[in-house]
């Protein structure tokens, strides 16, 4: 069976973008693939995290995955730092990947900003760790959003260079991107050109998976819009990034197309539309949120799921990392 690896950073509250762009689609993939869903805590610390909050967020992200419908018995939910093979393989990949390759990564430039001299070495080497995450399990498919496409390309280059450098053709597979038609890129509620993000300083820019009904409605009411009525077709959303984002969210939450969402609200003002959107968001997210709250209220049971997931992940990773060490020429313990 084809194997999927995918991850979310516990860098804060999961938001609607993480849900519609990632987690919701993973739920569907469970039927067809063997899945490893990872809370990538080692990726999270490439930017400073408050240790207490990191622990809480790790549990929250795991709880969100389960609450959204991922079956932790059939598939594997775990946190990255519990499987030592991620760090071990990432180091080997640090020695395989070339500086020139990493210099081309646009996400580093975006995240490090102008002050790149002050960014952590970990943030720079982040794509090598991501390659290790995938290849440690010889995952065949990786669900990726636009923002991760370049990193997956790099993982493929690393796999090919490792195989070539050590003369082990075919040892690491070429992981394939799984582009999901249903994945929605959700933009900030305050700026339709910026993606919704956990690290945006404005709380009003995102809907968190832990927001209550009033907060969701307030954030949607305060979302940036323009003054024109809603158009008949998606073509009328050209140059209206905020309107396009809100209609896109409506379409995704109601499992319809953008065309249908436009047709439904054609000619309406944002006041009426926002009320419908808020009601829909509360209705769709409510059950997931209450299940998340129930799970987080019992941290010991979330920890147990993560421990058991890590044990199963280690069982898959250990023979692969042992073979990698032998290929590289490391003396056996
Ligand atoms: N706005 C978004 N729309 C659609 N998908 C999104 N994802 C993130 N933001 C959006 C997808 O969620 C998965 C997990 O992402 P991540 O937490 O590992 O990292 P990220 O992409 O860096 O997410 P954030 O929220 O922007 O985190 P910070 O602010 O910490 O960098 C990925 O599949 C991602 O594509």
């Amino acid at each position: 069976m084809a194997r999927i690896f995918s991850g979310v950073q516990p860098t804060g509250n999961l938001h609607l973008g993480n849900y519609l762009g990632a987690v919701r689609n993973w739920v569907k993939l469970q039927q067809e693939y063997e899945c490893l869903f990872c809370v990538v805590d080692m990726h999270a610390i490439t930017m400073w995290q408050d240790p207490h909050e990191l622990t809480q967020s790790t549990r929250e992200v795991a709880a969100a995955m389960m609450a959204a419908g991922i079956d932790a018995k059939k598939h594997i939910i775990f946190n990255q730092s519990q499987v030592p093979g991620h760090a071990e393989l990432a180091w080997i990949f640090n020695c395989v990947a070339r500086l020139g390759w990493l210099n081309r990564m646009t996400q580093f430039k975006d995240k490090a900003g102008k002050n790149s001299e002050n960014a952590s070495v970990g943030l720079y080497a982040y794509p090598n760790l991501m390659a290790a995450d995938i290849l440690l399990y010889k995952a065949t498919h990786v669900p990726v959003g636009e923002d991760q496409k370049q990193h997956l390309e790099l993982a493929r280059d690393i796999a090919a260079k490792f195989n070539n450098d050590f003369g082990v053709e075919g040892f690491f597979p070429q992981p394939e991107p799984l582009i999901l038609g249903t994945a929605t890129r959700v933009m900030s509620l305050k700026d339709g050109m910026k993606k919704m993000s956990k690290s945006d300083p404005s709380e009003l820019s995102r809907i968190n998976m832990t927001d209550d009904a009033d907060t969701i409605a307030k954030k949607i009411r305060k979302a940036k819009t323009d003054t024109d009525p809603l158009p008949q077709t998606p073509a009328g959303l050209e140059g209206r990034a905020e309107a396009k984002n809100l209609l896109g969210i409506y379409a995704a939450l109601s499992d319809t197309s953008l065309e249908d969402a436009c047709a439904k609200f054609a000619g309406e003002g944002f006041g009426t539309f926002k009320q419908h959107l808020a009601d829909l968001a509360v209705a769709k997210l409510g059950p997931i949120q209450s299940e998340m709250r129930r799970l987080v209220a019992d941290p010991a049971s979330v920890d147990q799921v993560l421990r058991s997931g890590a044990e199963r992940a280690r069982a898959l990773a250990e023979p692969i990392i042992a073979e990698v060490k032998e290929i590289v020429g490391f003396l056996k313990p």
Side-chain angles (χ1 to χ4, degrees):
M1 197 184 206
R3 182 179 286 171
I4 275 184
F5 181 95
S6 204
V8 183
Q9 300 187 69
T11 38
N13 271 323
L14 224 67
H15 52 72
L16 187 66
N18 299 129
Y19 176 63
L20 292 177
V23 178
R24 184 175 80 151
N25 304 293
W26 298 352
V27 176
K28 297 176 191 152
L29 296 174
Q30 303 183 93
Q31 316 305 329
E32 271 179 71
Y33 296 88
E34 174 194 9
C35 303
L36 291 115
F37 296 120
C38 187
V39 186
V40 286
D41 47 8
M42 288 160 61
H43 281 283
I45 63 162
T46 56
M47 311 273 263
W48 193 83
Q49 304 297 322
D50 175 273
H52 177 71
E53 283 173 18
L54 180 68
T55 309
Q56 296 302 336
S57 296
T58 300
R59 290 188 181 117
E60 247 176 53
V61 170
M65 289 181 185
M66 288 186 268
I70 290 168
D71 183 344
K73 287 206 168 73
K74 245 173 106 186
H75 298 277
I76 298 181
I77 296 181
F78 72 111
N79 62 307
Q80 192 182 24
S81 61
Q82 287 204 56
V83 182
H86 290 263
E88 292 180 307
L89 190 57
W91 180 258
I92 293 170
F93 287 170
N94 282 344
C95 305
V96 172
R98 305 289 91 184
L99 271 181
W101 297 0
L102 289 179
N103 284 339
R104 286 195 285 276
M105 295 297 113
T106 55
Q107 196 180 80
F108 174 76
K109 291 176 196 154
D110 292 345
K111 290 207 168 178
K114 289 195 183 79
N115 199 6
S116 63
E117 289 284 308
N118 214 22
S120 73
V121 175
L123 187 66
Y124 186 73
Y126 179 115
N128 293 345
L129 177 58
M130 181 171 149
D133 298 339
I134 299 163
L135 295 168
L136 182 61
Y137 304 98
K138 295 193 177 178
T140 52
H141 293 80
V142 184
V144 279
E146 273 302 313
D147 49 343
Q148 293 293 339
K149 262 193 200 158
Q150 199 187 25
H151 287 169
L152 184 62
E153 276 301 317
L154 188 92
R156 291 165 61 90
D157 290 344
I158 290 175
K161 187 165 186 335
F162 180 95
N163 292 348
N164 188 53
D165 285 357
F166 293 99
V168 285
E169 219 38 59
F171 177 75
F172 280 125
Q174 286 278 291
E176 296 291 334
L178 209 60
I179 311 280
L180 300 160
T182 48
T184 308
R185 188 165 165 79
V186 181
M187 309 310 279
S188 157
L189 299 181
K190 286 285 153 199
D191 177 353
M193 304 302 282
K194 259 173 50 185
K195 77 165 190 161
M196 187 176 281
S197 172
K198 299 185 211 95
S199 48
D200 192 313
S202 165
E203 268 295 315
L204 288 176
S205 70
R206 67 182 157 263
I207 293 173
N208 295 315
M209 292 304 286
T210 45
D211 285 344
D212 60 25
D214 288 345
T215 310
I216 293 176
K218 184 179 96 184
K219 287 181 177 177
I220 292 176
R221 249 192 339 269
K222 290 188 176 256
K224 187 177 168 199
T225 48
D226 51 47
T227 49
D228 291 346
L230 289 162
Q232 183 87 43
T233 63
L237 291 168
E238 252 346 279
R240 300 177 67 186
E242 284 80 18
K244 186 172 179 189
N245 185 36
L246 293 181
L247 274 161
I249 295 173
Y250 185 94
L253 284 173
S254 57
D255 275 313
T256 54
S257 62
L258 193 56
E259 283 78 6
D260 287 350
C262 284
K264 184 169 171 144
F265 294 103
E268 295 278 7
F270 278 100
T272 314
F273 168 69
K274 281 180 169 179
Q275 187 57 53
H276 278 91
L277 179 58
D279 292 346
L280 177 67
V282 168
K284 290 285 175 172
L285 300 181
I288 301 171
Q289 292 172 321
S290 46
E291 178 61 4
M292 248 180 97
R293 273 193 288 276
R294 190 188 70 77
L295 291 166
V296 171
D298 182 6
S301 71
V302 177
D303 293 1
Q304 181 47 39
V305 169
L306 290 170
R307 242 192 325 272
S308 138
E311 208 173 294
R312 286 150 62 211
R314 276 197 301 272
L316 295 175
E318 272 163 11
I320 297 174
I321 191 74
E323 213 179 332
V324 169
K325 288 180 182 174
E326 199 177 324
I327 290 169
V328 171
F330 290 165
L331 198 63
K332 273 194 193 154

